Amino acid sequence: MIQFQSVRKSFGTQDVLAAASFTVYRGDRVGIVGANGAGKSTIFELICRHLEPDKGEVTVPSGLSIGYVRQQLNAYRTEDTLIEYAENAVPAIRQTQNDIHAVEAALGEASGAERERLLRRLGELQTEFEHSGGYTLRTRAEATLSGLGFQVAGLERPFRSYSGGWQIRAELARILVAQPDILLLDEPTNYLDVPAVEWLREFLKSFSGTLLLISHDRYLLNSLTTTTLEVMGGRVSRYPGNYQTYMVSRAARHEHLLAAKKNQDRRREQLERFVDRFRSKATKATQAQSRIKMLEKL
């Protein structure tokens, strides 16, 4: 579904992603972990096409809606009220609603064949509005905003009157109301209190799309994810299971790598001793050169 193939992305002299390859399948619930600056948010920016890879390829199927909540919003000014801002998460619904109002206004002056045409068009628009969730949009928006901690009395306040942290909550609500096919959440709990975090966790449990979650909240990762992507050293490793399972698997992989490293070091020492001993002997020169090539490969 989402595929990274040997992706490289640099900022100045820093290679954030060096050769990242992984696949996220439809319906996956993925936790993305790694140190700050490892490239987790860069992966989201590449998926959304806000950035382009320097090398490699990022594939995301066309026709799928993506909801992306950043840690910080870009400066945004709007005259919408809070509830209007959340409702506008689905522009197509608002457009259909406007079209319905336009047809209803035109019906007042139409007659005959034109009236019949407008009535048919009105029926089509109302069906489209219903199927897209237009009739439940305000209810969903109110429930989501309330769940994230907004008071009912504040729903008609201008969006821009809220502080930055509350605007990010509103943006999170807006994305959740949109019900995207792919949901990208980057540290979504940073600006939430405990009740809002718990509400979000319960909401995401029932989310039916593909979820990619960047978070340092181990409880949230363990509750919501079934696959873990570890971003480290410019590469991405995929682990089955939630964060707790990942930590166990990571420790086992680390032990395996250490054992392999010790074996490689022993092999290197053996080759180096052979080369040092027989490099200058004509009868062993060919074998020594062969060992040198093996060392270069190691």
Side-chain angles (χ1 to χ4, degrees):
M1 181 180 178
I2 299 172
Q3 190 169 40
F4 278 52
Q5 295 177 304
S6 301
V7 170
R8 177 179 178 182
K9 185 62 185 177
S10 302
F11 298 97
T13 58
Q14 181 184 7
D15 286 340
V16 176
L17 298 176
S21 296
F22 64 89
T23 301
V24 175
Y25 300 97
R26 185 184 298 272
D28 272 355
R29 304 176 70 82
V30 181
I32 302 180
V33 300
N36 290 336
K40 303 186 297 295
S41 297
T42 300
I43 288 173
F44 279 7
E45 296 287 340
L46 289 165
I47 291 174
C48 293
R49 303 297 187 192
H50 297 157
L51 294 174
E52 293 295 329
D54 300 327
K55 289 184 179 180
E57 186 176 2
V58 177
T59 304
V60 181
S62 59
L64 296 180
S65 58
I66 299 177
Y68 177 25
V69 182
R70 298 180 177 88
Q71 293 186 57
Q72 294 182 339
L73 293 180
N74 294 326
Y76 190 85
R77 297 185 63 83
T78 176
E79 299 305 316
D80 286 347
T81 63
L82 175 63
I83 187 65
E84 288 171 341
Y85 184 78
E87 286 182 308
N88 284 336
V90 191
I93 291 180
R94 175 58 61 89
Q95 183 58 54
T96 302
Q97 190 175 39
N98 291 339
D99 291 344
I100 288 174
H101 292 160
V103 171
E104 288 174 340
L107 275 170
E109 301 179 359
S111 61
E114 176 63 10
R115 181 176 178 80
E116 290 298 320
R117 186 190 69 80
L118 288 173
L119 286 172
R120 285 194 301 272
R121 178 57 180 159
L122 180 61
E124 293 169 356
L125 289 170
Q126 289 174 335
T127 299
E128 180 181 335
F129 190 69
E130 180 180 4
H131 287 170
S132 61
Y135 290 112
T136 62
L137 179 60
R138 174 155 290 234
T139 301
R140 296 204 317 270
E142 289 174 344
T144 303
L145 288 167
S146 177
L148 291 176
F150 289 94
Q151 300 298 315
V152 174
L155 298 184
E156 298 297 335
R157 275 179 54 186
F159 167 80
R160 58 187 174 86
S161 71
Y162 284 91
S163 66
W166 284 97
Q167 286 187 6
I168 292 178
R169 287 201 196 202
E171 181 67 12
L172 175 58
R174 175 186 174 97
I175 296 301
L176 297 180
V177 168
Q179 300 177 328
D181 299 306
I182 303 171
L183 180 58
L184 311 178
L185 298 180
D186 191 347
E187 299 290 357
T189 62
N190 276 1
Y191 296 91
L192 302 181
D193 52 20
V194 173
V197 170
E198 185 59 26
W199 180 91
L200 177 64
R201 187 177 71 88
E202 291 300 319
F203 180 94
L204 293 176
K205 276 185 174 181
S206 61
F207 176 68
S208 60
T210 302
L211 172 66
L212 282 78
L213 171 64
I214 297 172
S215 179
H216 287 93
D217 187 330
R218 298 182 181 186
Y219 177 65
L220 199 66
L221 290 169
N222 283 328
S223 300
L224 296 174
T225 64
T226 56
T227 299
T228 301
L229 294 180
E230 178 192 62
V231 186
M232 181 186 294
R235 297 178 182 274
V236 180
S237 301
R238 182 184 175 102
Y239 291 81
N242 61 13
Y243 184 83
Q244 184 174 354
T245 304
Y246 149 73
M247 289 299 291
V248 174
S249 300
R250 181 178 182 271
R253 178 181 288 190
H254 185 64
E255 290 299 320
H256 175 75
L257 289 173
L258 283 178
K261 175 69 164 54
K262 289 178 181 178
N263 290 335
Q264 186 185 63
D265 288 344
R266 270 196 304 270
R267 179 60 174 158
R268 182 186 299 276
E269 290 174 5
Q270 293 170 355
L271 293 172
E272 288 174 343
R273 282 199 302 268
F274 185 94
V275 171
D276 291 342
R277 182 177 179 184
F278 296 111
R279 185 197 301 268
S280 59
K281 290 190 177 183
T283 56
K284 297 286 188 178
T286 300
Q287 294 179 46
Q289 286 299 318
S290 175
R291 301 304 195 276
I292 290 173
K293 289 181 180 179
M294 290 181 185
L295 281 168
E296 290 173 350
K297 289 181 179 179
L298 285 177

